[in-house]
Structures are given as structure tokens and as C-alpha cells.
Amino acid sequence: MNTFGSIFRLTTFGESHGEAVGGVVDGMPAGIPVDVGFIQQELNRRRPGQSNITTSRQEQDHVELLSGVFEGKSTGCPIGFLVRNTNQHSNDYENMRQLFRPSHADFTYFYKYGIRDHRGGGRSSARITISRCVAGALAKMALQPLGIEVKAYTSQVGGIVLDRDYSRYDLSLTESNAVRCPDPEKAAEMIRLIETVKADGDTIGGVITCVIKGCPPGLGEPEFGKLHAALGAAMLSINAVKGFEYGAGFAGVCQRGSEQNDVFVSCDDHATSLTRADGQLSVRTATNNSGGIQGGISNGEDIYFRVAFKPVATLLREQQTVDVNGRPTTLTARGRHDPCVLPRAVPVVEAMAAMTILDSFLIQKTVKI
């Protein structure tokens, strides 16, 4: 299962301390302008060493496109790419060769395959998300002419929480601070908390909110290909993700149906509308507790969801564990690790959302033919 998607498909390869990570994107529509600078920009948002609240490791993460692009446009052929690993400190992991790190994939990979790459987690490393960001950038380019925009931001770090209503914030401010939070005051609090946690040799988790604007109605395949299920599967495939909710989510269980229902209204009273392909229907919903998806199919409203990330499992302090023979021992991790994954995970969430929406759009296009 190293391939994601049905029509727009990404197959990834590589390990964190190997020669390179990369992938092949198949199903990219032909004739889409490919901006290599934009792809690199997306990788720069994910790369380490951005600030003092991320790992100090310095990787340039320079992308090389190998195929599928001619004279600045996609050809419709597979787009091969790679990003070379240039700043590994493999010796930092030597004391972990015979140990299972708590809450990491060490034990499960070893049990499944009988062998594991102890250097940074190998294939289970979050460094593999580089390939997702490259493919996500390509998906964003294909979505742009359709008027579909994907924006994510940090909405919670520890107990510091933004209001659940994304419309209260200017999302253009997301990139204005190191934690990628559109509320400058809350961002400052989040940064101070991460710095405190880092000084303690500990880590902290949080939540990323993602908003998809301009998505047309009709995307999603009942019964087992529902759009929210596809988005949930995409998000839960990201390293360190522990939860997914869309629309009102779990908070909605406290409401009554009379409070929760999204009432349909004529678009004459609203700025945007839902328009059926034959032009006979022109309505929208007065509220959007459904998160832009009803019956597993997009309804034309903003799609929004939240993704919960656990604290990074590698602590720079002593922990109890066992070795590969089951003997109790202690582990003190070395190396350069993130105290909080949220700032670097924002572009990964956007990438997976963009790929999911583009794939769903291409599926819908084939259904209509």
C-alpha cells in the first residue's frame, strides 16, 4: 500500500536515511502549467530547520522532476520526482538499534517484517511526507483553474485553542508566524508553550484545521467511497495523526436536530449558490454544520475538518522500554527532533486534501461522460 488515489495516483519510495525519497504521480491532467518554484515553496513549508520550534536539522529538500513535464506543462504521462537526503546523522540512532522506542513504529515494523531500519524510523519516518507535498503541490495546480482552494492552519497546541469557526480568521495570516496560526496573539502563546516544552526535553500535540473553498457539489461516491471517508482515510495516513472530524463533528452531539440541521434557502439572498449541472436548481444552506458534505457527497459549501496530532514520540529525556529480546532497559534519545509536529504538518494536511479532492473530481468527471 505505497500508492494513494484512484485516478490521480501517488506512489512513494524511500527511507529517512536512504539516498533519497521520491515518488511517481500518475493521472495528472495534461496541459496544466507546472510551476517548479511553487512545488519547492511547498517543500520549504514542510522542511526542517525553519525556526527554533522545529528540529534544527538542515535539509534543503530540493526537488528534481524527472519526467512528465515538457515546456512547463504536464504531458499526461507519469511525473517522476525525487528529493535527495543530504543531512543525515545516522550515528544519532545507533543506541536505538536494539531497542523499541515508545509509541514509535519500531516494534510493529519489526514484528511484521522481521527487520527494521532503526535510523530515524526508515520508511515510517515523517520525512516520507515529502512525496505527499510534491504530489499535493501538483494537485493544487490542477485545482487552481477550477477555483478550488485548500488552506490549513494550526488551530490548537496543547490547551491553547482557537475558536472552532474558521470564518472568524484571516487565513492569509497563517504563514506570518512560525506555528502557522492565523491568530497572532494565540500564535505567540502557542510558540511560548512549544519553547517551554522543548526546554523540558518533552513534546506537545495539537489540532490542524483545513478549509476547502470552491468545491463543486457532487463529489464523493456512495456507499463506500464517501467524500468525508476519503478525506478521513487520507488524514489518518499521516504520521502522528490520532483523530479526524468534519463539520460540527463531536461538538454536534450536544445539539438537537432543530439546531444542527442545515436549512436550504434560495441563493437570491446569499452571495454563493449550489447549481445543478442542468441549471434548474439554485440553492444553498443557511448554516454549514454538515461541513460541506451530505450523504457522503459535497454540497457546494465550504468543506472543513480538523485533524488531531499526538505529541512527537521521541523525547530528549530518559524513558523505560525493552530491547529486541524483550529485556527491560532505558532509552535516552539523541538527535534533532521536533518538539511539536504541527507547524510542519500544515502543508502535509493541505497536500492530502488537495489530492483527495482532485481524485474525487476526476472520478466524477468520468461518471458524467
Side-chain angles (χ1 to χ4, degrees), residues 24-346:
V24 176
V25 170
D26 204 359
M28 177 72 172
I32 301 295
V34 175
D35 183 349
V36 179
F38 176 71
I39 299 174
Q40 188 61 55
Q41 175 184 307
E42 295 295 274
L43 287 180
N44 291 345
R45 296 172 68 209
R46 194 223 69 94
R47 72 175 178 83
Q50 297 179 45
S51 70
N52 65 344
I53 61 170
T54 64
T55 171
S56 61
R57 190 174 69 254
Q58 293 295 324
E59 289 272 9
Q60 295 307 307
D61 290 349
H62 177 71
V63 64
E64 302 175 39
L65 298 186
L66 307 177
S67 63
V69 178
F70 179 67
E71 296 183 341
K73 292 185 177 181
S74 58
T75 64
C77 299
I79 299 176
F81 63 89
L82 62 80
V83 174
R84 299 183 189 278
N85 296 327
T86 61
N87 192 235
Q88 308 104 314
H89 287 184
S90 298
N91 287 337
D92 287 344
Y93 298 90
E94 191 58 33
N95 66 324
M96 305 178 191
R97 180 185 288 272
Q98 300 297 323
L99 304 180
F100 295 134
R101 294 170 297 172
S103 286
H104 276 277
D106 296 350
F107 171 73
T108 51
Y109 266 60
F110 184 78
Y111 196 90
K112 182 177 181 65
Y113 298 110
I115 187 173
R116 70 181 175 94
D117 185 346
H118 68 282
R119 305 166 304 165
R123 183 68 174 159
S124 67
S125 169
R127 183 158 178 75
I128 309 306
T129 59
I130 283 175
S131 300
R132 302 177 185 221
C133 287
V134 173
L138 292 168
K140 285 183 177 181
M141 293 177 200
L143 291 174
Q144 193 274 332
L146 303 174
I148 301 174
E149 182 181 45
V150 181
K151 292 289 185 182
Y153 62 92
T154 298
S155 56
Q156 180 174 349
V157 173
I160 303 170
V161 187
L162 267 63
D163 189 289
R164 292 173 64 89
D165 186 356
Y166 65 89
S167 65
R168 294 169 58 91
Y169 300 99
D170 179 359
L171 300 190
S172 69
L173 298 177
T174 298
E175 296 294 320
S176 67
N177 54 75
V179 77
R180 293 197 163 91
C181 170
D183 183 322
E185 292 184 5
K186 290 287 188 180
E189 292 181 39
M190 292 174 178
I191 290 171
R192 286 194 293 270
L193 174 58
I194 295 172
E195 289 174 338
T196 299
V197 167
K198 179 181 179 181
D200 291 338
D202 215 333
T203 61
I204 191 81
V207 175
I208 290 175
T209 296
C210 186
V211 183
I212 304 170
K213 291 182 173 290
C215 186
L219 304 190
E221 304 301 316
E223 173 171 346
F224 299 111
K226 294 178 179 178
L227 185 57
H228 60 270
L231 286 167
M235 298 306 138
L236 290 165
S237 74
I238 301 172
N239 308 57
V241 169
K242 287 294 185 179
F244 170 85
E245 64 171 355
Y246 73 103
F250 287 103
V253 304
C254 299
Q255 295 180 312
R256 298 188 179 189
S258 56
E259 301 171 296
Q260 179 76 193
N261 282 356
D262 294 320
V263 177
F264 289 107
V265 295
S266 170
C267 74
D268 293 340
D269 300 323
H270 297 272
T272 59
S273 66
L274 305 181
T275 305
R276 206 169 63 190
D278 59 11
Q280 295 180 1
L281 182 64
S282 187
V283 300
R284 66 164 294 174
T285 58
T287 56
N288 190 18
N289 293 311
S290 301
I293 303 172
Q294 293 172 325
I297 301 171
S298 63
N299 65 6
E301 300 289 338
D302 291 348
I303 295 172
Y304 65 96
F305 57 85
R306 289 164 295 279
V307 187
F309 286 79
K310 71 174 184 177
V312 175
T314 299
L315 311 183
L316 297 181
R317 56 166 63 180
E318 186 176 275
Q319 295 185 84
Q320 300 298 313
T321 188
V322 298
D323 63 20
V324 294
N325 296 308
R327 293 188 294 259
T329 186
T330 59
L331 165 68
T332 301
R334 300 192 296 265
R336 302 158 295 174
H337 305 282
D338 288 289
C340 179
V341 74
L342 275 295
R344 296 175 58 211
V346 166

